[in-house]
Amino acid sequence: MTESIHETIAVKADHLYKAFGRRPHEIVKKLKAGKSRAEISSLGVAAVIDASFEVKQGEIFVVMGLSGSGKSTLIRMLNGLWETTSGSVTVGGTDITRVSAKELRDVRRKSISMVFQHFALLPHRTVIDNVAYGLEIQGMNRADRLAKAQTIIDLVGLAGWADNLPSELSGGMQQRVGLGRALAADTDVLLMDEAFSALDPLIRREMQEQLIELQAALGKTIIFITHDLNEAMFLGDRIAVMRDGRIVQIGTPEEILTDPANDYVAQFVQDVDRARVLTAASVMEPVRAVITKTAGPRAALRTMRDLQTSVTFVLNRDRSFAGIVRDRDVLKLVKKGETDLRGIIRDDATAVLSETALVDLVEPSVESELPIAVVDEKNRLLGVIPRVTLLAAIGNVSTNTGALPVVMPPATISIRAITDILGDTVDDMPIDAEGVRA
Amino acid sequence: MNDFRLPLGSYVETFVEFITDTFGFIFDFIRAAFAGAYDGVQFLLGEPPFWAIMLVLGVLALGIRGWKFAVGSVLGLIIILGVDQWDYAMDTLALVLVASVLAIVLSVPLGILAAKSTLASNIIRPVLDFMQTMPAFVYLIPALLLFRVGVVPGIVATIIFAMAPGVRLTELGIRSVDKEVVEAGQAFGASPWRILRQIQLPLATPTIMAGINQVIMLSLSMVVISGLVGAGGLGAQVIASLNRIDIALGFEAGLAVVILAIFLDRITASLGSANSTGFIGGVRRALRARRVTDEPASSADTASVPEPARI
């Protein structure tokens, strides 16, 4: 995913501060001098303290924190609804903390729109007029904007409701209108302030999935505020965790989960549904029992003997995943003196892409005693996930058990037997150096 | 103790005299303008025969609230006619209309200003408190001096007395519009004027209309008091009955005031609520329904696309 994102910066926040009180600048000065939030509480409230981040074009950037952590204040500074006390915000190349009110309105019309927690629809206007609101402000004529609004209404799944008033819609549908209004304005950046928090869980899930689809289709940059960690993990390409006005960690969901910056984040991520966030790539283990197809049965048998397993993975010449061979089949082949592995390669090992979520690995893992093979888009074998590794990852247990025997199916033929057979038959082919991969 | 005397009264007297002398021409102009407005409205209400006015008011009642109210209104007007107060009632109605229109024209913008600026609100609020609590008769004295006897001092005193709720409720209405909706306007780049016009005023309309209703009610009560300065109408009748201790006239004139008050109150209250039950509300709904079916794009969609489940 990350490679496909253009490295253009859509929104940049640089040392943002927001303080409320009689003398906000004094508060900021004291904060910069190293005073804590509690120490300045007599002067006022520091809502956002020294927030810096960059949001890339086409990214979903989630700001996550509990209520009172300053996330709503932060998002309102990104489109200038609230003035910053110190620091700068750059949207599409314009520093919006330094422009006039008129230029700021221009930026809002063209570059940045917003979806609100409680929908904030105009109650006296129909759905289509609400969706067309941004276009109306941009100065588009009525016929054009209604035509465009209609396509957006269909896009967000509200076809047939265009002429209803918002009060005639359910909460989920009202938020679709809110989302439609922001999409219709056709700005690069979408700010979403707890957009799904007021919806019940089933609808929320549906809206999250729809948002991801829309984002993939339209390539918008989305800055999403939430207090729900699962939502943050599900939506975010990157997540900024806020606490008491400060950003305590910025990283991908996996980074936050596997490498929390401090105890607060660690405690926070404890309850997250790890199986949905962690991917196959993040938990897989290196493949030890692997040979190339051309290495021949003797090499396969030797590998299995050395690693004491009954199965080895087989790769094609281009290192793509071909399947597995079992010790009994190989043994027969060696006894017969054949040198070609192709006939006995089985495809009963499940191969999954590296970005597959762990939750989708449970079923294949149950169905087969073989480790799951993890491959990339070109079908190259990256690693394996034995059942025990999967369980350890979901249960957040240290994976470094070092107990290799449980990783691969244990050998079904005794080492002595294999060694005897290898000794009886002529060692007619050298082991391919590539055959064994650490 | 008896020597201590704040000569506030004489100061104000001197001030009013100074104003009368210096800015007399301005007050002459205002006098002429108000008197002209009153004469115009009075002509419209007083000249036509009583049945024509009854018909117009009856149709208005039907349009705004429905047939029950229309019947009641016409019955009330017939009672006014029957107790021989018709002409006075029309004079009073004209006074009320002129005074409340002017009071509304002044108070709504002031209320908007107070809602937009905390400074303006802080200045306007004590002035309104003063205007509302000062005994109503007191306004009549400077008004009498500045505009001489007649309808104009009555109108001016009425405007001052009746403005306060208009300003207050306009401010309240605009300030209590959902903050997020206003933010939505800002977030999409709407100008403050546009937010006022398209978001704040429409959403504040019920509250503003409640204020306007109050303005009209207060106007009516003050217009009666204005009978003291020769404003004529039902007020003059009430004061005449007071002077002569004429119970019969007092009751009849008073009843006419009550009937006018109820009529005006119900009419303006209905204008405030979005779903008026009367004929006009029905027409409005019908028009909206037609617009829905007229739009080809949306009607086609309704036909072809299954409605999403209401979630």
Side-chain angles (χ1 to χ4, degrees), chain B residues 6-295:
Chain B
L6 269 180
L8 273 182
S10 57
Y11 288 166
V12 171
E13 194 181 335
T14 319
F15 177 70
V16 171
E17 272 169 18
F18 165 75
I19 299 262
T20 327
D21 293 345
T22 325
F23 302 106
F25 63 98
I26 295 178
F27 293 110
D28 286 344
F29 173 74
I30 294 175
R31 183 187 158 81
F34 283 15
Y38 171 73
D39 288 343
V41 177
Q42 201 264 342
F43 177 83
L44 282 180
L45 291 172
E47 275 313 297
F50 69 88
W51 53 265
I53 299 292
M54 274 188 199
L55 191 69
V56 170
L57 294 184
V59 166
L60 198 65
L62 179 72
I64 289 174
R65 263 188 100 95
W67 66 270
K68 281 185 201 161
F69 180 59
V71 170
S73 302
V74 171
L75 278 179
L77 293 172
I78 290 173
I79 291 174
I80 293 179
L81 184 72
V83 298
D84 212 11
Q85 295 292 334
W86 181 262
D87 290 340
Y88 303 117
M90 287 305 110
D91 289 354
T92 296
L93 192 57
L95 266 175
V96 169
L97 289 181
V98 171
S100 32
V101 164
L102 288 167
I104 291 163
V105 165
L106 286 172
S107 63
V108 171
L110 266 181
I112 294 171
L113 180 68
K116 289 270 167 180
S117 145
T118 311
L119 177 70
S121 173
N122 287 341
I123 295 170
I124 289 171
R125 209 175 308 130
V127 175
L128 291 181
D129 291 340
F130 181 88
M131 281 162 53
Q132 249 184 328
T133 46
M134 184 65 108
F137 298 93
V138 177
Y139 296 125
L140 291 174
I141 308 164
L144 202 55
L145 280 176
L146 296 172
F147 300 106
R148 300 195 289 280
V149 176
V151 288
V152 177
I155 292 175
V156 171
T158 304
I159 291 171
I160 294 172
F161 182 70
M163 255 176 70
V167 180
R168 280 188 210 280
L169 285 167
T170 304
E171 177 181 357
L172 176 73
I174 291 178
R175 281 192 188 261
S176 53
V177 168
D178 185 358
K179 226 178 86 238
E180 237 189 27
V181 181
V182 176
E183 271 185 345
Q186 290 169 339
F188 284 91
S191 63
W193 164 242
R194 197 180 192 123
I195 290 173
L196 178 69
R197 199 163 45 85
Q198 293 186 329
I199 297 176
Q200 289 172 316
L201 283 182
L203 296 191
T205 301
T207 317
I208 295 176
M209 286 311 292
I212 288 176
N213 175 268
Q214 286 304 300
V215 169
I216 293 174
M217 291 295 100
L218 285 181
S219 297
L220 188 61
S221 67
M222 188 63 194
V223 155
V224 174
I225 295 171
S226 307
L228 283 173
V229 292
L234 293 172
Q237 295 296 296
V238 170
I239 282 153
S241 71
L242 190 63
N243 288 337
R244 285 182 287 172
I245 319 193
D246 184 341
I247 295 176
L249 177 62
F251 181 75
E252 288 171 356
L255 186 66
V257 171
V258 170
I259 292 169
L260 273 189
I262 292 174
F263 178 76
L264 289 173
D265 179 63
R266 298 296 184 272
I267 290 273
T268 49
S270 309
L271 286 178
S273 60
N275 294 320
S276 60
T277 48
F279 183 66
I280 289 183
V283 169
R284 208 181 280 164
R285 278 192 298 276
L287 282 178
R288 212 188 115 213
R290 183 190 295 177
R291 200 174 71 81
V292 171
T293 46
D294 272 358
E295 263 170 40

Side-chain angles (χ1 to χ4, degrees), chain A residues 102-116:
Chain A
K102 192 174 176 301
E103 287 167 301
L104 178 59
R105 286 202 293 272
D106 224 43
V107 170
R108 287 173 184 162
R109 272 175 219 168
K110 290 174 189 154
S111 312
I112 191 161
S113 54
M114 189 160 174
V115 182
F116 292 84

Side-chain angles (χ1 to χ4, degrees), chain A residues 347-362:
Chain A
D347 58 358
D348 49 1
T350 313
V352 297
L353 284 172
S354 56
E355 60 257 36
T356 315
L358 293 194
V359 67
D360 298 324
L361 300 185
V362 175

Side-chain angles (χ1 to χ4, degrees), chain A residues 76 109 124 136 150 168 170, chain B residues 183 189 198 301 310-311:
Chain A
R76 278 168 173 73
R109 272 175 219 168
H124 54 297
E136 184 184 335
Q150 188 62 54
E168 296 161 346
S170 68
Chain B
E183 271 185 345
Q198 293 186 329
D301 279 335
R310 267 188 88 143
I311 38 186

